[in-house]
Amino acid sequence: LVKGNLYYYFKNKQDILYHCHVKCIAISLAALDDVSAMGLAPADALRILLIKHIRNITEDPYGGVLLTDLESLTPTQRRRYVAMRDRFEHGVREMISGGIADGVFAPQNIDLAGITILGAINWIPKWYRTDGRMSSAEIANSIADQLIRSLRP
Amino acid sequence: LVKGNLYYYFKNKQDILYHCHVKCIAISLAALDDVSAMGLAPADALRILLIKHIRNITEDPYGGVLLTDLESLTPTQRRRYVAMRDRFEHGVREMISGGIADGVFAPQNIDLAGITILGAINWIPKWYRTDGRMSSAEIANSIADQLIRSLRP
């Protein structure tokens, strides 16, 4: 793919960035739907969702762009993207809430716990290198386990 | 302070940004030194350090700038800032390591656990609002507790 080809499909750099954002969050939303349909206990569902979300961010070539630079989108693009991201974050909070109801997670401020977990994951593109010592799957499993532990009593 | 005054003290916008970064990480480094001198068990020291670090980021008017936009610094500025940040991160890893040795934290990949904790904290300026429902102290305590739990067996 050369520069000329890319601009045949996209209006400009901003448009490309927007489509990267939407593509990446759409994959994580599909994972949310898949995992929700598995009929697992909420705490188990959340662990699998976090693994899929982390692997999406680390394995998708656009993943690094995902969660920063919202400032460079147009207001309409930002609104559309943020609506998708909100649906994902809502799904995460529902699973935390379900885990608390099950007694697997401690009673806690769900909004704060959710944004802390998602913030840790959002930071991954800042340090993740595809040529690092650990595979994306190893990193995803380890971080998901740590973040699930953070919710426990 | 008006724009004219500011540029009496600083060369340009980049220079201001650099001094904000250095000021903010210097406060967290001072907290690291203070907490290390308290003679606490490593897990307890880490909890207090995380609270101080989060409060620094949320209460300092430059805190929001802290951990993003390294790209806008000159190579020399970035190197100096990153050296300070590395010393802070090293201190966090030492406390995790001490907590593992004490059996309070689970044996785990210290680098990954450390960057997950610091990533969650680095993300705070993206969502924190000074006029939000919770005080900076409440947020700091709650997130520090959650992140300390994430290290436990």
Side-chain angles (χ1 to χ4, degrees):
Chain A
L1 200 69
V2 296
K3 204 176 165 184
N5 286 348
L6 211 55
Y7 285 100
Y8 181 81
Y9 297 102
F10 298 103
K11 271 182 291 188
N12 50 39
K13 201 171 157 186
Q14 193 176 44
D15 195 39
I16 296 173
L17 187 66
Y18 171 66
H19 282 92
C20 292
H21 274 78
V22 165
K23 180 180 168 292
C24 198
I25 193 70
I27 294 173
S28 287
L29 278 173
L32 173 63
D33 292 338
D34 287 351
V35 172
S36 301
M38 285 181 188
L40 297 167
D44 297 332
L46 182 59
R47 184 174 165 277
I48 295 178
L49 179 63
L50 295 182
I51 291 172
K52 284 174 181 276
H53 183 48
I54 295 168
R55 291 193 62 168
N56 177 29
I57 290 173
T58 50
E59 292 172 20
D60 188 297
Y62 305 115
V65 181
L66 173 64
L67 304 132
T68 46
D69 299 333
L70 289 193
E71 297 75 14
S72 14
L73 302 179
T74 68
T76 307
Q77 288 174 334
R78 189 160 53 230
R79 204 160 44 239
R80 286 189 190 147
Y81 169 72
V82 167
M84 295 176 81
R85 194 191 59 183
D86 283 351
R87 187 161 92 75
F88 185 78
E89 294 184 359
H90 178 76
V92 168
R93 287 194 299 269
E94 287 286 297
M95 289 176 184
I96 295 174
S97 169
I100 294 172
D102 287 348
V104 180
F105 295 152
Q108 58 200 291
N109 183 317
I110 293 169
D111 289 346
L112 207 52
I115 195 70
T116 297
I117 284 179
L118 291 169
I121 295 175
N122 290 348
W123 199 255
I124 295 174
K126 295 271 186 188
W127 56 263
Y128 178 73
R129 295 291 169 265
T130 48
D131 59 353
R133 277 164 301 167
M134 294 176 79
S135 72
S136 132
E138 286 172 319
I139 287 174
N141 286 329
S142 179
I143 293 179
D145 284 343
Q146 180 182 355
L147 294 175
I148 290 293
R149 279 200 303 271
S150 82
L151 300 169
R152 295 226 177 104
Chain B
L1 201 69
V2 297
K3 204 178 162 182
N5 285 349
L6 211 56
Y7 285 100
Y8 181 80
Y9 297 103
F10 298 104
K11 270 181 290 184
N12 50 39
K13 203 169 152 187
Q14 191 176 46
D15 195 38
I16 296 173
L17 187 67
Y18 171 66
H19 282 91
C20 291
H21 274 79
V22 165
K23 180 179 167 292
C24 197
I25 193 70
I27 293 172
S28 287
L29 278 173
L32 173 64
D33 293 337
D34 288 351
V35 173
S36 300
M38 286 180 189
L40 298 167
D44 298 331
L46 182 59
R47 183 173 166 277
I48 294 178
L49 179 64
L50 295 183
I51 291 173
K52 284 175 181 275
H53 183 48
I54 295 168
R55 293 193 61 167
N56 176 29
I57 290 174
T58 51
E59 292 172 20
D60 188 298
Y62 305 117
V65 181
L66 171 65
L67 303 133
T68 45
D69 300 333
L70 290 192
E71 296 75 14
S72 14
L73 302 178
T74 68
T76 307
Q77 288 174 335
R78 190 160 53 233
R79 203 161 43 240
R80 285 188 191 147
Y81 170 72
V82 167
M84 295 176 81
R85 195 191 59 183
D86 283 350
R87 185 160 94 74
F88 185 77
E89 294 184 358
H90 178 76
V92 168
R93 287 194 299 269
E94 287 286 297
M95 290 176 184
I96 296 174
S97 169
I100 294 172
D102 287 349
V104 179
F105 295 152
Q108 59 200 291
N109 183 317
I110 294 168
D111 289 346
L112 207 52
I115 195 71
T116 298
I117 285 179
L118 291 169
I121 295 174
N122 290 348
W123 199 255
I124 295 174
K126 296 270 186 188
W127 56 264
Y128 178 73
R129 296 291 170 266
T130 47
D131 60 353
R133 278 164 300 167
M134 294 177 78
S135 73
S136 131
E138 286 172 318
I139 287 174
N141 286 329
S142 178
I143 293 179
D145 284 344
Q146 180 182 354
L147 294 174
I148 290 293
R149 280 200 304 272
S150 82
L151 300 170
R152 295 229 177 102

